[in-house]
Amino acid sequence: MDAQATEPPSSSYPPWVLFEPYADVDTTGSYSTAADPNTLAVARTSSDHPIGVSLSLALPPAESRVCFHFPRRTDPPRLRNEIIAAHGDSMLVKVTRESYYKVRPDYFVYNAGNAAANSSQRPPSLLLLPPGYHYLDKDSTGLLRRGEDDLVVANLKMVEPKDDDTTPKDKQQQQQHVAEMTLLRSGKWWTLRWSRITGIEKEKLRYWISSRCVIPVGDDTLCWIISMHEGLIFCKVYEERPVLQYVPLPEDPRCSAGYYSSWNVCVTSGGNAVKFVNRFARCCCGGAGASKCKHSEDCYVIKTWTLRMDSMTWVVDGMMDSTELWAHDSYKGLPRLEPGFPVVSMDEPHIICFMLQQSKDWWLIMLDMRSKILRSIHIYEKANQFENVYPGKLLMPSKVSYYFNSCPSRSSQIDIGPPDVASLAELQTYDAKNSKPSCRTSADPGMQASEILEALQEISSYGLPGDDMRKAVSILSHANGRRFRSFLVIPKNMRKDWLLTEINAPAGM
């Protein structure tokens, strides 16, 4: 058993990680040597300010962290820079450079640079999402990344119905019952509404206040975990007319699903299985008249279920009593307290990570529900970093670390001040011809226009008129081919919008 999980060497990354929800903020103006240079991605915000994102990846149960790098003389708010969602090799992050709350944040998709297991290596990238009018929060926003080009961001909430959503009688009886989804698909924002959700009575919708979190299931489905009803809402967001389907959590009188820290719903088995974990007190689960435990008031039971996707029914697949764990030598030295904030391993369904707290001391532990032992312990030193916000938190699982395992090493010290952002972009150029990352400081001077035309003609839906096509070739030929290589990193379904923005930009910008 490891006494403390540590960060892996740069040549070997964990198959999955647990991210802190809030990002670290670096305003030194340089990319710190303490982070991993292989994970650095840079871009500019919507207000044309430089931003860098790097990752500090650790083997679970230790926490991994995201760091946002800002130029010197900036003072970004710590609690407004965070990870919103994660799927596959990508993460949706919220970047707020200003402390002023009326300034809208920017949303970027961080991509590890290796979209498929057998694809050629690309450096990590940051894609600025098109501007929208909705606030994307981590409790109700999900991300799906399918291949290199299919990207979906979806936010689902309950809103007051509009006149065309319901009849006057319905509107008088219940004021808030319409599910509204803000959806980014094919590079554009859409708004969808449902007055009914399959599997739940219509009148119960007005009690839905918020979501707990959103998890991706497979490569085409998002699942919202609803706090009030203790249930799930599934949506195949790639369908032309997606529907919402409600699935309740298991009916078990001993479940304490009302307590935020005691339960969670996670995706496991490579992202294709949904698992429910619940920890409840054994001593009082029988209701009135139940006998008190003779060992400790903190005796508990951990129980797990797996959702059968074909029938949408739950099957019990694991149970552990606290006394089984305490009796094992691996638990010696830890307090006998109820663990909280469970997260299931993304690869092994029988492995669960928990938080354990005693006063101001925190531990992250990894339990094996199959062998009933404690696999690993990590001293959670930064648990109280945001203690004024809420005690404890759900860590966000992600497989983005998996895609760095064959990434070549890069420079460990890079400035990100405004004068040096161009050199950062050049460092991360992408060799389109050989499909390999390049660490040269300039692109090939002999790049031909035919390469650009070939890339433009790959997608038949571009439909650029002749004059715009000539302008596009001219734009992509600038900077010794650097702009062309930056263009190739953008998902194909967003390249046309990017080109039109560049073509229509005022002169001198």
Side-chain angles (χ1 to χ4, degrees):
M1 182 191 68
D2 297 326
Q4 182 162 337
T6 58
E7 293 186 11
S10 60
S11 59
S12 179
Y13 294 89
W16 69 286
V17 291
L18 288 168
F19 277 114
E20 283 276 357
Y22 291 110
D24 292 336
V25 173
D26 172 32
T27 58
T28 63
S30 65
Y31 175 62
S32 172
T33 55
D36 188 342
N38 290 334
T39 66
L40 176 65
V42 295
R44 287 187 176 271
T45 66
S46 59
S47 55
D48 201 34
H49 294 290
I51 175 70
V53 174
S54 66
L55 311 180
S56 179
L57 302 171
L59 186 69
E63 80 279 12
S64 295
R65 310 183 77 85
V66 176
C67 184
F68 292 176
H69 303 271
F70 295 91
R72 298 180 182 89
R73 297 180 296 278
T74 56
D75 186 24
R78 295 184 64 87
L79 297 184
R80 295 184 65 201
N81 290 283
E82 58 183 342
I83 308 173
I84 302 297
H87 180 232
D89 62 354
S90 299
M91 297 186 301
L92 175 65
V93 298
K94 182 179 72 173
V95 175
T96 305
R97 187 176 183 271
E98 307 292 341
S99 297
Y100 188 45
Y101 271 81
K102 290 187 178 180
V103 176
R104 285 186 176 275
D106 283 331
Y107 297 97
F108 288 86
V109 172
Y110 174 95
N111 184 266
N114 189 7
N118 297 320
S119 70
S120 299
Q121 287 288 338
R122 294 186 283 111
S125 62
L126 275 180
L127 173 66
L128 177 63
L129 296 189
Y133 298 98
H134 296 269
Y135 179 83
L136 303 179
D137 60 280
K138 62 177 178 289
D139 296 333
S140 57
T141 305
L143 170 72
L144 275 181
R145 185 69 179 261
R146 186 166 61 179
E148 295 188 21
D149 304 316
D150 285 338
L151 174 69
V152 165
V153 175
N155 177 273
L156 182 65
K157 291 184 177 181
M158 296 303 294
V159 298
E160 185 173 343
K162 295 185 177 181
D163 292 337
D164 55 351
D165 291 327
T166 184
T167 64
K169 182 179 179 180
D170 289 337
K171 190 172 182 179
Q172 182 179 3
Q173 291 178 348
Q174 54 189 61
Q175 293 298 315
Q176 294 184 344
H177 70 290
V178 177
E180 180 180 272
M181 180 182 293
T182 304
L183 181 70
L184 175 67
R185 193 171 63 186
S186 301
K188 297 182 179 179
W189 289 104
W190 309 82
T191 299
L192 305 175
R193 290 188 182 90
W194 296 263
S195 59
R196 295 181 182 274
I197 298 177
T198 303
I200 187 172
E201 297 177 8
K202 187 176 180 181
E203 58 269 15
K204 290 185 178 181
L205 292 180
R206 59 178 168 176
Y207 299 109
W208 172 15
I209 297 177
S210 63
S211 304
R212 175 184 177 89
C213 61
V214 188
I215 58 174
V217 182
D219 62 357
D220 65 348
T221 303
L222 287 175
C223 173
W224 281 262
I225 292 90
I226 307 304
S227 300
M228 181 60 70
H229 289 301
E230 294 97 33
L232 315 178
I233 292 182
F234 290 88
C235 182
K236 293 184 178 295
V237 293
Y238 281 104
E239 292 184 349
E240 183 178 354
R241 295 184 177 181
V243 298
L244 303 181
Q245 180 180 5
Y246 173 81
V247 177
L249 289 184
E251 295 183 4
D252 192 318
R254 295 170 296 179
C255 287
S256 55
Y259 297 99
Y260 183 83
S261 64
S262 65
W263 66 281
N264 197 14
V265 179
C266 304
V267 65
T268 184
S269 300
N272 296 307
V274 176
K275 192 149 187 165
F276 172 59
V277 182
N278 188 61
R279 182 266 302 152
F280 52 87
R282 171 162 55 83
C283 308
C284 58
C285 60
S291 60
K292 281 286 185 180
C293 175
K294 298 179 181 179
H295 302 287
S296 170
E297 293 183 359
D298 294 310
C299 288
Y300 57 87
V301 175
I302 299 172
K303 193 173 181 180
T304 62
W305 292 257
T306 295
L307 181 65
R308 287 184 174 174
M309 301 301 293
D310 54 348
S311 60
M312 289 297 182
T313 56
W314 294 97
V315 177
V316 177
D317 60 5
M319 186 176 295
M320 178 190 291
D321 190 278
S322 57
T323 55
E324 296 179 90
L325 180 61
W326 296 344
H328 201 276
D329 290 341
S330 63
Y331 200 85
K332 290 182 178 179
L334 288 177
R336 295 186 174 187
L337 301 173
E338 292 181 336
F341 304 100
V343 179
V344 182
S345 164
M346 298 194 75
D347 295 322
E348 300 175 278
H350 59 285
I351 301 299
I352 306 175
C353 296
F354 285 90
M355 291 186 189
L356 195 64
Q357 179 193 15
Q358 186 178 54
S359 184
K360 290 189 176 183
D361 295 324
W362 289 78
W363 297 266
L364 294 171
I365 63 175
M366 178 181 284
L367 302 184
D368 189 327
M369 294 288 291
R370 184 182 295 167
S371 59
K372 311 294 179 68
I373 64 172
L374 184 65
R375 270 201 178 185
S376 186
I377 306 169
H378 172 71
I379 300 175
Y380 192 15
E381 296 178 347
K382 294 188 177 182
N384 296 313
Q385 183 177 5
F386 302 108
E387 62 181 350
N388 294 328
V389 182
Y390 53 90
K393 49 186 169 276
L394 283 172
L395 299 180
M396 181 176 292
S398 170
K399 289 188 71 70
V400 68
S401 55
Y402 167 81
Y403 297 89
F404 289 107
N405 275 319
S406 58
C407 183
S409 62
R410 293 161 56 196
S411 172
S412 62
Q413 184 75 24
I414 305 171
D415 289 336
I416 68 161
D420 301 311
V421 172
S423 62
L424 269 176
E426 289 164 355
L427 178 69
Q428 300 184 95
T429 54
Y430 176 61
D431 189 331
K433 185 176 181 180
N434 298 316
S435 298
K436 295 178 181 179
S438 171
C439 291
R440 295 167 292 179
T441 57
S442 62
D444 293 334
M447 188 188 65
Q448 302 295 320
S450 59
E451 296 181 58
I452 297 176
L453 289 173
E454 182 180 354
L456 292 176
Q457 292 170 358
E458 284 182 355
I459 304 177
S460 59
S461 61
Y462 270 156
L464 292 174
D467 190 45
D468 282 349
M469 181 65 77
R470 286 189 291 272
K471 292 179 181 178
V473 173
S474 176
I475 289 170
L476 296 177
S477 300
H478 288 168
N480 246 3
R482 178 165 52 84
R483 299 196 74 183
F484 176 55
R485 287 170 168 78
S486 298
F487 167 77
L488 290 175
V489 178
I490 301 172
K492 291 179 181 178
N493 60 1
M494 293 186 177
R495 291 178 185 175
K496 181 179 179 180
D497 292 337
W498 183 87
L499 280 172
L500 290 176
T501 301
E502 295 294 310
I503 290 171
N504 296 323
M509 290 192 64

